[in-house]
């Protein structure tokens, strides 16, 4: 039973809910039905407003984020009937690939308003005449901390998330956790988002993919939904693998002479890492992980042994190990930053240290260690397959360090701030991932430019919140002895707006509850009622037959249908004059997309239509810059070539 079932809300009473628990099952209500029923149950606990959104039904919830000092936010839920929408079709559905869905009768907007809007709410809340002066459409205002919209069939879109950096008192993680909890508990089916988030001039969907193989929203289960400019999921995955696996040694050799910051940055973070950073993915993963562990202010972070840690059971004393280390470092100094083979270093050191076992131990332990103001680098020569050593002066990398030649007891501490780290991240992002110039994008490095473009052209991500098979509304008998089945409908042949036959069931299936002794005639009426209430284009829908079950109307459903069976019904609209091309989210499917990039559907990018053949293509693919207007007259290459060919005929 809900924690609030025993509390009858008085008219006008406003409750305060805990932000971190709001939406959990039982807080404020048990969510055990289909999505639209769960939303209706939730709204029973909200405060109703009459004039907040141009007369559309609206509810608010006051949420306590923190008690001391007090911090509250407001969640607004707006019910938008399709008749009140400026556009019946949903462009977000069309762009993400859900254009075959029917237009739902209702949408539900979930909004955490900006601080300014919340303050305005507090001002009018106590005014006589509720919502005075607040008749503007809340859905059309910009800058909300969060705005998500659900269709009543459970498919939704996260339209915006604005965290602390945009002035919100909530962090992006807090907002996403809240949104994710709502989607899960309300039994949403799938939720999409359009990721164009940027931070300090960097595209986060590229930065996080290089570091973590997924976008920032991937932490909450959002995966590849649909690519623009013909990008497919296999292309996207190969681009991630290619850019993450780029060896740092090749980048260092290629880019080091173009920008002196690159070697210094590579060295700075290699010394901070407990493991070898071999690839571009390793480096960015370490950088972003380090940022998450650093406090905002400057601080001492970490400590490590600048020499070799000598175990208590080591056969050589710390003093002898330190002496051998000094000898090896001095021999590498004479090489003047040149790579020297292990055997050559060993031969020089043997003039001073006769114990070859000690030398072998020190050489094995010194790889990528700091000794004094030097970093001893060790690498396998890819040609000769021989270990080589090189000494690198890093006194200018950590100017605030007090670097001394240490032994097993001496520790070196260094200072690094988030500001310094983000400055380094921006340098690497701009030079390696973003500004690939002709001088740097030749050969193997051209792959970075191509992979980056593919990743950036992937902006739509989708989370599958609740599959039909795993929803809490599982088919079968419930505690009250009622039968739950998944059902869908198809329009009779000839009523398919896309042309051709209606030979596939309309997705998604709906969970329909009937008595365990119900007949198929009763099931038909219940399915018919559900779909009429759900979809705008089925308001007069009449079921005529069952497609995949051979039964008469008087047969009991339990006797014919096993648990988990999906049933498809066929019927038609009794109301005439319905424009079938307008009852689907993709509207009248009368435009042809045929672009050089491979796209054959509208993906939300800017397009231009040929004035002769009326085929659409991307302006970018037609080499029309984004900062230029689309020409008044445009001809595609094919039509232009045909005109040239005709003009050459006698």
């Amino acid at each position: 039973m809900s924690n609030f079932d025993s509390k009858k809300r008085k008219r006008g009473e406003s409750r305060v809910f805990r932000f971190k628990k709001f939406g959990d099952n039982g807080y404020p209500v048990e969510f055990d039905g289909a999505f639209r029923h769960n939303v209706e149950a939730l709204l029973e606990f909200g405060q109703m407003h009459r004039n907040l959104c141009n007369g559309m039904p609206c509810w608010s919830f006051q949420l306590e984020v923190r008690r001391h000092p007090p911090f509250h936010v407001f969640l607004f839920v707006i019910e938008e009937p399709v008749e009140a929408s400026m556009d019946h079709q949903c462009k977000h559905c069309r762009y993400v690939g859900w254009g075959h869905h029917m237009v739902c009768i209702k949408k539900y907007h979930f909004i955490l308003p900006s601080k300014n809007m919340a303050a305005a709410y507090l001002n009018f809340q106590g005014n006589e005449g509720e919502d005075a002066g607040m008749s503007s459409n809340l859905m059309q205002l910009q800058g909300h901390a969060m705005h998500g919209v659900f269709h009543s069939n459970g498919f939704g879109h996260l339209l915006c998330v604005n965290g602390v950096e945009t002035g919100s008192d909530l962090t992006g993680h807090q907002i996403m956790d809240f949104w994710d909890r709502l989607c899960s508990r309300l039994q949403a089916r799938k939720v999409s988002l359009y990721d164009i988030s940027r931070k300090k001039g960097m595209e986060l969907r590229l930065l996080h993919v290089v570091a973590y193989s997924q976008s920032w929203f991937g932490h909450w289960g959002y995966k590849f939904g649909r690519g623009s400019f013909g990008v497919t999921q296999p292309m996207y995955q190969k681009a991630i693998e290619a850019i993450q696996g780029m060896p740092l040694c090749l980048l260092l050799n290629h880019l080091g002479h173009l920008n002196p910051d690159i070697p210094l940055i590579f060295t700075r973070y290699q010394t901070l890492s407990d493991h070898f950073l071999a690839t571009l993915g390793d480096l960015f993963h370490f950088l972003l992980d380090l940022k998450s562990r650093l406090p905002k202010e400057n601080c001492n972070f970490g400590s490590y042994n600048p020499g070799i840690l000598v175990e208590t059971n080591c056969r050589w004393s710390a003093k002898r190990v330190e002496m051998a280390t000094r000898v090896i470092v001095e021999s590498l100094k004479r090489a003047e930053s040149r790579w020297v083979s292990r055997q050559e270093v060993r031969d020089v050191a043997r003039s001073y240290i006769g114990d070859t076992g000690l030398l072998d131990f020190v050489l094995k332990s010194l790889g990528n260690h700091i000794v004094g103001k030097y970093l001893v680098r060790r690498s396998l020569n890819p040609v000769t397959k021989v270990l080589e050593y090189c000494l690198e002066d890093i006194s200018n990398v950590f100017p605030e360090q007090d670097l001394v030649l240490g032994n097993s007891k001496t520790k070196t501490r260094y200072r690094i701030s988030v500001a310094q780290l983000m400055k380094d991240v921006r340098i690497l992002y701009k030079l390696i991932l973003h500004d690939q110039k002709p001088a740097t994008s030749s050969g193997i490095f051209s792959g970075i430019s191509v992979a980056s473009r593919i990743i950036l052209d992937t902006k739509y991500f989708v989370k599958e919140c609740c599959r039909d098979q795993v929803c809490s509304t599982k088919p079968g008998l419930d505690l009250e002895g009622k039968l739950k089945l998944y059902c869908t409908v198809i329009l009779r042949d000839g009523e398919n707006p896309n042309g051709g036959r209606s030979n596939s069931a309309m997705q998604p299936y709906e969970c329909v509850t009937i008595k365990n002794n119900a007949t198929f005639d009763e099931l038909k009426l219940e399915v018919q009622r559900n779909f009429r209430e759900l979809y705008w284009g089925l308001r007069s829908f009449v079921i005529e037959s069952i497609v995949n079950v051979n039964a008469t109307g008087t047969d009991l459903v339990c006797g014919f249908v096993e648990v988990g069976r999906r049933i498809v019904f066929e019927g038609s609209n009794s109301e005439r004059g319905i424009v079938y091309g307008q009852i689907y989210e993709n509207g009248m499917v009368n435009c042809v997309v045929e672009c050089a990039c491979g796209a054959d559907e509208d993906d939300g990018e800017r397009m231009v239509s040929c004035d002769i053949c009326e085929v659409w293509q991307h302006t970018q693919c037609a080499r029309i810059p984004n900062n230029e207007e689309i020409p008044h007259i445009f001809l595609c290459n094919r039509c232009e070539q045909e005109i040239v060919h005709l003009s050459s005929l006698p």
Side-chain angles (χ1 to χ4, degrees):
M1 178 178 291
S2 167
N3 297 333
F4 297 92
D5 283 348
S6 60
K7 301 179 182 179
K8 296 295 184 180
R9 181 165 58 89
K10 297 178 182 179
R11 183 173 180 83
E13 178 186 352
S14 177
R15 290 183 180 148
V16 178
F17 302 92
R18 283 174 288 171
F19 178 81
K20 290 184 178 180
K21 287 183 63 66
F22 187 80
D24 279 343
N25 214 15
Y27 193 86
V29 67
E30 297 287 347
F31 300 114
D32 59 357
F35 171 79
R36 66 185 185 278
H37 300 314
N38 289 335
V39 173
E40 291 168 357
L42 175 65
L43 296 181
E44 288 291 324
F45 293 85
Q47 173 131 4
M48 182 76 174
H49 303 282
R50 291 190 296 270
N51 303 315
L52 195 60
C53 289
N54 297 335
M56 284 183 279
C58 177
W59 296 261
S60 69
F61 298 84
Q62 187 175 1
L63 308 177
E64 180 186 71
V65 181
R66 185 177 59 240
R67 183 167 296 181
H68 300 293
F71 172 32
H72 295 78
V73 296
F74 290 90
L75 170 68
F76 291 91
V77 182
I78 304 163
E79 181 183 286
E80 181 185 13
V82 66
E83 294 86 357
S85 300
M86 297 180 63
D87 187 358
H88 288 185
Q89 278 76 32
C90 174
K91 65 179 181 180
H92 306 291
C93 282
R94 185 166 70 250
Y95 296 157
V96 82
W98 301 340
H100 60 285
H101 290 178
M102 278 190 166
V103 176
C104 290
I105 288 179
K106 295 178 182 177
K107 298 177 189 173
Y108 295 97
H109 294 260
F110 285 70
I111 297 174
L112 291 175
S114 62
K115 287 192 296 186
N116 293 337
M117 183 62 201
Y121 171 80
L122 292 174
N123 289 335
F124 77 73
Q125 188 178 26
N127 291 346
E128 184 177 354
E130 185 182 346
D131 307 343
M134 294 297 296
S135 60
S136 60
N137 194 333
L138 183 63
M139 298 180 299
Q140 297 177 355
L141 297 178
Q142 302 296 316
H144 295 307
M146 184 199 81
H147 185 182
V149 60
F150 292 104
H151 302 280
S152 52
N153 63 358
F155 286 78
H157 315 281
L158 179 56
L159 303 182
C160 78
V161 172
N162 291 306
V164 174
E165 293 189 353
T166 57
S168 172
D169 288 326
L170 295 170
T171 66
H173 278 83
Q174 286 178 305
I175 297 170
M176 284 302 301
D177 287 343
F178 177 76
W179 170 254
D180 194 57
R181 190 162 59 248
L182 286 177
C183 293
S184 174
R185 296 304 185 185
L186 291 174
Q187 297 288 335
R189 281 192 169 99
K190 290 184 180 181
V191 178
S192 77
L193 59 86
Y194 181 66
D195 184 6
I196 52 173
S197 51
R198 295 170 60 87
K199 185 174 184 179
K200 299 184 183 300
M202 297 180 290
E203 301 281 357
L204 291 186
R205 66 185 181 281
L206 175 58
L207 184 64
H208 280 264
V209 159
V210 176
Y212 300 116
S213 303
Q214 61 184 11
S215 73
W216 182 76
F217 296 98
H219 296 295
W220 292 271
Y222 288 85
K223 300 179 181 179
F224 178 94
R226 195 182 198 188
S228 301
F229 302 105
V231 172
T232 62
Q233 187 168 9
M235 291 169 59
Y236 180 67
Q237 192 58 43
K238 287 184 180 296
I240 294 175
E241 294 169 0
I243 203 168
Q244 282 187 324
M246 185 63 64
L248 286 182
C249 59
L250 294 180
L251 288 172
L252 180 62
N253 293 335
H254 190 77
L255 300 175
H257 68 282
L258 297 177
N259 191 317
D261 290 330
I262 294 297
L264 298 179
I265 292 173
F266 282 11
T267 302
R268 175 179 295 132
Y269 295 102
Q270 179 61 76
T271 59
L272 305 186
S273 176
D274 293 331
H275 60 277
F276 184 62
L277 304 178
T279 66
L280 193 61
D282 293 338
L283 177 60
F284 275 97
H285 182 95
F286 177 74
L287 289 171
L288 297 193
D289 186 59
L290 179 61
K291 177 181 177 294
S292 68
R293 292 185 282 118
L294 278 176
K296 293 182 179 179
E297 67 278 1
N298 289 355
C299 67
N300 288 329
F301 178 77
S303 61
Y304 58 88
N305 182 11
I308 303 170
L309 288 175
V310 180
E311 302 293 340
T312 56
N313 60 353
C314 181
R315 58 182 289 194
W316 297 283
S317 67
K319 186 175 181 179
R320 291 193 66 192
V321 170
E322 180 180 344
M323 178 60 70
T325 302
R326 288 177 180 270
V327 169
I328 291 174
V329 169
E330 289 299 322
S331 66
L332 288 172
K333 281 185 185 179
R334 290 193 288 270
E336 299 179 348
S337 301
R338 179 174 54 88
W339 285 92
V340 182
S341 69
R342 179 183 180 279
Q343 188 61 46
E344 186 178 346
V345 176
R346 190 172 183 268
D347 290 343
V348 173
R350 280 192 65 187
S351 302
Y352 303 92
I353 305 294
D355 190 340
T356 55
L358 173 59
L359 288 177
D360 290 339
F361 170 75
V362 174
L363 284 169
K364 180 181 178 180
S365 307
L366 264 183
N368 297 317
H369 270 68
I370 290 180
V371 180
K373 65 175 184 178
Y374 297 100
L375 170 65
V376 181
R377 301 185 68 88
R378 181 178 65 184
S379 178
L380 183 68
N381 189 308
V383 178
T384 63
K385 307 299 182 184
V386 172
L387 279 176
E388 295 181 342
Y389 291 80
C390 179
L391 206 61
E392 185 174 344
D393 187 342
I394 60 170
S395 58
N396 60 339
V397 177
F398 301 110
E400 297 183 21
Q401 282 186 300
D402 181 18
L403 289 166
V404 295
L405 181 62
N407 54 35
S408 60
K409 297 180 181 179
T410 304
K411 300 285 184 178
T412 296
R413 299 183 68 84
Y414 51 86
R415 296 178 64 85
I416 187 169
S417 66
V418 173
Q420 175 65 52
L421 187 146
M422 289 308 298
K423 178 182 177 183
D424 293 337
V425 170
R426 287 196 300 272
I427 291 173
L428 293 173
Y429 176 90
K430 183 177 180 181
L431 188 64
I432 299 176
L433 301 178
H434 189 257
D435 291 344
Q436 281 291 324
K437 300 177 182 177
T440 63
S441 60
S442 59
I444 189 173
F445 299 98
S446 62
I448 295 180
S449 179
V450 173
S452 295
R453 190 68 262 159
I454 290 174
I455 293 170
L456 288 174
D457 284 340
T458 302
K459 303 170 187 175
Y460 287 98
F461 297 88
V462 173
K463 177 175 181 176
E464 189 164 4
C465 304
C466 178
R467 294 185 179 182
D468 291 336
Q469 301 95 305
V470 297
C471 282
S472 63
T473 54
K474 291 182 179 179
L477 293 175
D478 61 14
L479 296 177
E480 299 178 359
K482 293 184 178 180
L483 185 66
K484 293 184 177 180
L485 299 169
Y486 283 111
C487 305
T488 191
V489 300
I490 56 177
L491 291 173
R492 189 177 57 195
D493 289 345
E495 297 188 354
N496 187 345
N498 298 318
R501 295 175 60 83
S502 301
N503 53 6
S504 61
M506 184 191 70
Q507 297 292 332
Y509 283 78
E510 292 297 322
C511 186
V512 177
T513 303
I514 57 174
K515 297 180 295 183
N516 58 2
N517 60 348
T519 65
F520 276 96
D521 282 338
E522 292 172 318
L523 176 61
K524 287 181 183 179
L525 292 175
E526 185 63 21
V527 172
Q528 183 174 284
R529 182 186 65 82
N530 271 268
F531 280 84
R532 282 184 172 186
E533 293 178 355
L534 192 59
Y535 294 105
W536 179 67
L538 299 180
R539 300 185 304 278
S540 61
F541 182 73
V542 176
I543 291 179
E544 298 167 348
S545 62
I546 305 176
V547 175
N548 58 345
V549 176
N550 186 17
T552 64
T554 57
D555 289 332
L556 294 178
V557 177
C558 279
F560 273 84
V561 179
E562 64 274 14
V563 172
R565 180 70 181 272
R566 294 177 173 235
I567 306 177
V568 181
F569 296 85
E570 186 179 45
S572 61
N573 278 307
S574 60
E575 180 182 340
R576 297 303 171 188
I578 293 179
V579 181
Y580 286 95
Q582 295 180 357
I583 67 176
Y584 283 78
E585 296 291 8
N586 57 9
M588 299 292 291
V589 189
N590 57 2
C591 65
V592 177
V593 177
E594 187 177 314
C595 191
C597 66
D600 56 5
E601 288 185 285
D602 186 2
D603 55 12
E605 302 294 341
R606 194 172 73 146
M607 288 190 167
V608 61
S609 171
C610 175
D611 286 294
I612 294 179
C613 65
E614 298 183 345
V615 172
W616 292 79
Q617 61 180 301
H618 296 116
T619 55
Q620 178 176 306
C621 299
R623 298 184 179 181
I624 301 174
N626 289 331
N627 58 357
E628 291 185 8
E629 293 185 1
I630 296 176
H632 295 294
I633 298 177
F634 174 78
L635 301 182
C636 66
N637 288 335
R638 182 171 53 193
C639 292
E640 191 173 18
Q641 291 298 323
E642 289 179 358
I643 291 175
V644 171
H645 177 69
L646 289 173
S647 63
S648 64
L649 295 176

